[in-house]
Amino acid sequence: MSKDEIIASVTERLRETPTGDLFRCSTAWFMAPVAEDDLPAKPEARYDSALTPEGHEGHRSGETDPAAWARLNELRDRLKAEAHIVTRNLVETLRAWYPSADALEMYENEDGWLLTVRLVSADGRTVRDLRNDVGLPTDLPELPEPVRALWPKRMLQEVEDLDELLTVLAKAGVGFDDLPDELRDNNDCPDLYIPALLLGTACELGC
């Protein structure tokens, strides 16, 4: 199976997820190298063998595979590792866009989506308000040359693209930090977990 076929297949499977068409294609694009390494020469045969009596020996319909759990765990670990690489790419991109920002503040809505709130500086100042429900501009800056090669074309153009990316990363196993007290708004509850992607030199993820 070629990489183009893998991308098309992953994109089709992602149509059932609550993401935009552009981001489905982008997700398939960066997942393709992982999938390409693990797929056999005829991946359809492995899938169909679990459903039809004509499957290969040891993989006939109704039979179990003791190695399946190990393979699933391996794929999960590899997906999480790839997601951390994409997260580091995002950190570099945000640093290039907003050099004075120290963290990206987010919140999780009732549907489990991570939505951006603002980029905040080390002294707690709002560098950019990213809420897309208050009538603010939603365009993201053009990707500068050093980080342009990290992303597919037409990706990360709107704040909504950033929201979708963060949600996919979280579902792939990336854990985000709690926004430090010194970066919080005065109205924030001090005991409330506020997910954040830290961009400064002291950050744990992405550095």
Side-chain angles (χ1 to χ4, degrees):
M1 179 179 280
S2 68
K3 182 172 290 186
D4 288 341
E5 290 172 322
I6 294 170
I7 292 173
S9 175
V10 175
T11 301
E12 183 63 28
R13 290 176 183 276
L14 287 170
R15 291 191 187 280
E16 298 179 0
T17 64
T19 57
D21 290 339
L22 171 60
F23 196 75
R24 291 190 193 105
C25 294
S26 302
T27 302
W29 182 87
F30 80 75
M31 286 178 64
V34 182
E36 191 173 41
D37 290 341
D38 287 286
L39 286 174
K42 295 182 179 180
E44 295 85 356
R46 175 183 289 182
Y47 177 75
D48 292 342
S49 67
L51 305 177
T52 62
E54 294 79 13
H56 299 295
E57 184 176 357
H59 293 281
R60 293 190 179 91
S61 178
E63 293 189 6
T64 59
D65 182 355
W69 179 247
R71 288 198 304 270
L72 180 60
N73 274 320
E74 181 182 356
L75 285 171
R76 182 189 62 183
D77 291 343
R78 293 189 62 189
L79 178 60
K80 185 175 181 179
E82 292 293 327
H84 275 84
I85 293 173
V86 174
T87 304
R88 287 192 289 271
N89 291 346
L90 178 58
V91 168
E92 291 304 313
T93 300
L94 291 171
R95 284 172 172 168
W97 274 340
Y98 304 100
S100 61
D102 205 58
L104 172 64
E105 179 182 343
M106 301 168 270
Y107 80 95
E108 184 176 350
N109 69 9
E110 59 185 12
D111 295 324
W113 277 64
L114 280 177
L115 304 179
T116 52
V117 176
R118 62 175 182 147
L119 285 151
V120 55
S121 65
D123 59 1
R125 177 178 54 88
T126 297
V127 175
R128 178 176 174 180
D129 192 330
L130 292 166
R131 294 172 296 169
N132 58 10
D133 59 349
V134 292
L136 297 171
T138 61
D139 292 347
L140 292 173
E142 183 177 348
L143 289 168
E145 188 60 41
V147 297
R148 188 175 301 165
L150 299 176
W151 306 102
K153 292 181 179 179
R154 299 185 301 278
M155 189 173 178
L156 294 182
Q157 294 183 321
E158 302 280 338
V159 171
E160 186 180 56
D161 299 332
L162 191 56
D163 294 341
E164 292 184 5
L165 173 57
L166 291 164
T167 300
V168 168
L169 292 174
K171 293 186 181 300
V174 174
F176 293 101
D177 289 289
D178 191 10
L179 188 68
D181 291 343
E182 61 271 19
L183 302 184
R184 294 179 177 234
D185 187 276
N186 291 332
N187 296 323
D188 290 335
C189 174
D191 297 325
L192 177 67
Y193 167 65
I194 300 178
L197 179 60
L198 303 184
L199 310 177
T201 56
C203 70
E204 299 178 5
L205 180 60
C207 294

